[in-house]
Amino acid sequence: MSLRQAILGFLELEPTTGYTLGQRFSGSVGSFWTATQSQIYRELHQLERDGLAQVEVVPQAGKPPRKVYSLTEPGRAELARLLEAASEPLVLRDPFLLGFVFSADVPPERLDALLEQHGAELAARQQEYRARLGSPQIFSLARSEREAALWRLSLENGLGWCEAQLAWVARARSELAALPNTRRKAATEKRKPTKHRN
């Protein structure tokens, strides 16, 4: 899934502004796909240049005019093409886990504190998923029972991921606490060069 596909999908639901799109990202798909406001505006401008979206400037009393973007017919065709195309391979990047792998020399109490903090962040995200699942505002745009079910299942996927990660954090803290407080031995000798026979 690309940012372009996500924006086309939101515009297919209803015409909207770049600002509202940013709110939609954080309030619905933000749990598994994030985008900054500048990225959203940059993609909107590109969609307009490509003829996939059009913009209507709506005057506002005492305020700057609103730019409302909507899909064109080529935009709808492009969205359909993207939705039916094979998805890109999943690329996992977890900065916390990458650091965790190399943390054998981190003092145990410090590592436990980092795990505790990571667990707190996961718990906060878990609460966000639960709030979104219980939010009628998110599902109010669903145009069919099937579409609402797709959105709900996506959020349930994120909730399940958080629950699995929180279980792992608890297990990691428990297992590491039971280990002796030892650190790796530093290498004291340089490796001697190998003598070659003539």
Side-chain angles (χ1 to χ4, degrees), residues 30-181:
S31 52
F32 53 85
W33 195 276
T34 59
T36 65
Q37 200 68 52
S38 61
Q39 289 174 322
I40 291 171
Y41 280 118
R42 188 162 54 246
E43 187 61 42
L44 280 171
H45 295 155
Q46 188 60 53
L47 289 171
E48 185 184 2
R49 285 193 293 269
D50 293 343
L52 303 179
Q54 59 190 9
V55 62
E56 179 185 1
V57 179
V58 181
Q60 297 186 105
K63 296 180 181 179
R66 295 170 69 238
K67 291 185 176 181
V68 179
Y69 292 84
S70 59
L71 278 191
T72 61
E73 284 307 312
R76 287 188 174 81
E78 175 66 4
L79 175 61
R81 184 189 70 78
L82 290 171
L83 290 174
E84 294 177 8
S87 61
E88 299 173 0
L90 179 64
V91 178
L92 293 176
R93 290 188 177 92
D94 189 330
F96 178 84
L97 198 55
L98 182 61
F100 181 81
V101 168
F102 299 108
S103 60
D105 284 340
V106 175
E109 63 278 6
R110 175 56 182 158
L111 182 56
D112 186 67
L114 290 171
L115 281 164
E116 183 179 20
Q117 179 185 353
H118 186 56
E121 292 169 357
L122 287 166
R125 181 175 291 189
Q126 182 186 45
Q127 289 304 313
E128 289 177 9
Y129 278 116
R130 286 178 175 158
R132 289 170 184 167
L133 277 167
S135 170
Q137 182 180 1
I138 288 179
F139 295 95
S140 64
L141 288 175
R143 296 160 296 182
S144 67
E145 185 178 351
R146 179 180 179 82
E147 192 164 55
L150 291 169
W151 296 356
R152 174 181 52 78
L153 288 166
S154 298
L155 290 170
E156 287 175 353
N157 175 275
L159 183 60
W161 178 84
C162 283
E163 290 170 350
Q165 290 298 305
L166 283 167
W168 175 84
V169 168
R171 187 171 72 252
R173 294 183 70 188
S174 176
E175 187 173 329
L176 291 171
L179 293 175
N181 187 359

Side-chain angles (χ1 to χ4, degrees), residues 183-198:
R183 299 170 74 179
R184 293 182 305 170
K185 294 180 180 178
T188 56
E189 295 183 2
K190 291 184 178 180
R191 191 172 182 177
K192 295 180 180 180
T194 304
K195 294 182 179 180
H196 296 279
R197 294 181 180 178
N198 294 330

